[in-house]
Amino acid sequence: MKPNYASLEQTLTSGPDVQTFTFTQIEEIIQTPIPSVYLRFRTLKQASSRFRSHARRAGFALTEVDYVGQTMTFVRGGDPIAPRRHGNPGHHHHRAVRAEVSPRALDPNDVGKELDSSIAYFKAHWASTGGEYVPFLDRYDDPNVIYFQAGMEAYRAAMRRAIKLQEVTQRTRDQLREQSCRYLATRLATLFALPQESLNVGSYNDWAEETTMGVRAIYRNAGVNDYTVGNAQKLVNVAMKFVMSSNRFRGDNLVFFYCHFPVDARIQNTIKSQLGVHLLHQNGQPRYGNSSWSKNDNWADFLDYQARVREAVLRFGYYSPMVWEATHWE
């Protein structure tokens, strides 16, 4: 029996401006179980979702989906995501910036879509990407040691070709590295201690902003004035990748579903060629050529990019942005 989405439209139309339903109530409304593909890949809010499209027909936006608490929230007023602009087809500059989607993204069996095999692939192959990064696996058992060592390992990725530290001594450089990684370790400990049901995109974004700006402040307060949001997000997100590489943590921990991925030049180009997502903005302005992550000091640009990539990653059936990046960075 096909889901009765028309019944969902009728229910929304006759109800108040804000309506929250449990998954069980939704299944009663549509008279069938929620299609498993939406739950498996967590795509109820994506552009292709029948729930979202039928909510729009009723004049509502599907604003929040809690997969742990199993609820959906609809708000009257239409879909808040603006439609993509196609521009005038007669203007060549519109066609010149078009980003294509690769056949790999459309392959239902591409690595990154099934969680357990993707985590195993990541741990087995990360060391082969230039021989520079080596997964933690069973190297550390104490989570607090993992958090600190993850930051220390991520440091070189965040600082390479990005920071001019001539104004400080080597001793100060070492102290800043230690201080920033100790701070990051406490922030990671706080994050991973949160109940899984409290995690969502919003709560993770709040944690990420506070953590990123905290790392940045450590360097700026020491007089390293060219340390940017881009450098800080790279430290935080590569450290998260190291945590995910440890066998001490389960791949299905929701932190790895909601967390951000490290933004650098290589992954931006890969994302554009495979997922069709344009580059990191610079101060809110789109860039269609090179887009510098290390010189970008605008948190809103990174949050926007993470959101655009998350939408594409989930739309094509991948588990999460971090798992996609971990299996496609090379």
Side-chain angles (χ1 to χ4, degrees), residues 96-315:
V97 299
R98 183 180 179 184
E100 301 290 347
V101 175
S102 73
R104 184 174 181 182
L106 302 176
D107 180 357
N109 298 312
D110 186 31
V111 63
K113 297 190 177 184
E114 195 283 317
L115 179 60
D116 291 340
S117 61
S118 299
I119 295 294
Y121 178 93
F122 159 57
K123 291 179 179 180
H125 289 81
W126 199 19
S128 66
T129 55
E132 187 171 3
Y133 302 109
V134 179
F136 280 174
L137 302 180
D138 295 315
R139 192 183 314 174
Y140 309 108
D141 185 61
D142 184 340
N144 292 310
V145 173
I146 293 171
Y147 301 145
F148 176 69
Q149 292 299 332
M152 294 293 280
E153 290 289 338
Y155 174 87
R156 65 180 180 272
M159 301 293 279
R160 182 194 304 134
R161 298 188 302 275
I163 301 295
K164 299 179 179 65
L165 289 172
Q166 292 90 340
E167 64 267 36
V168 298
T169 66
Q170 183 61 52
R171 180 180 180 182
T172 300
R173 297 181 196 185
D174 294 341
Q175 289 174 341
L176 288 172
R177 180 182 185 181
E178 173 98 5
Q179 183 183 356
S180 60
C181 292
R182 291 288 178 200
Y183 167 76
L184 177 55
T186 64
R187 294 291 297 162
L188 287 168
T190 298
L191 175 67
F192 279 93
L194 292 174
Q196 294 276 285
E197 59 269 19
S198 71
L199 290 170
N200 54 50
V201 170
S203 65
Y204 184 83
N205 287 347
D206 290 343
W207 178 91
E209 180 177 11
E210 182 176 346
T211 304
T212 300
M213 301 310 291
V215 170
R216 178 184 179 277
I218 289 171
Y219 283 88
R220 287 297 182 98
N221 291 341
V224 184
N225 294 320
D226 59 345
Y227 193 95
T228 64
V229 168
N231 302 130
Q233 67 81 27
K234 189 77 178 291
L235 176 71
V236 173
N237 295 331
V238 174
M240 186 71 74
K241 195 171 174 181
F242 271 105
V243 174
M244 192 172 74
S245 78
S246 170
N247 291 337
R248 179 68 172 74
F249 292 84
R250 290 174 55 95
D252 61 359
N253 188 306
L254 286 181
V255 168
F256 303 130
F257 177 75
Y258 289 113
C259 72
H260 297 168
F261 63 92
V263 179
D264 59 22
R266 180 180 297 186
I267 203 63
Q268 285 187 71
N269 290 328
T270 302
I271 287 169
K272 183 177 179 181
S273 64
Q274 295 194 21
L275 302 179
V277 178
H278 282 300
L279 306 178
L280 173 73
H281 292 174
Q282 301 286 312
N283 293 315
Q285 298 301 312
R287 292 293 297 269
Y288 301 111
N290 293 332
S291 180
S292 174
W293 63 273
S294 62
K295 294 180 181 179
N296 191 319
D297 199 39
N298 187 325
W299 171 253
D301 286 341
F302 286 95
L303 193 60
D304 163 78
Y305 188 59
Q306 294 285 341
R308 287 189 285 124
V309 174
R310 169 171 287 275
E311 193 279 334
V313 163
L314 298 184
R315 172 159 41 91

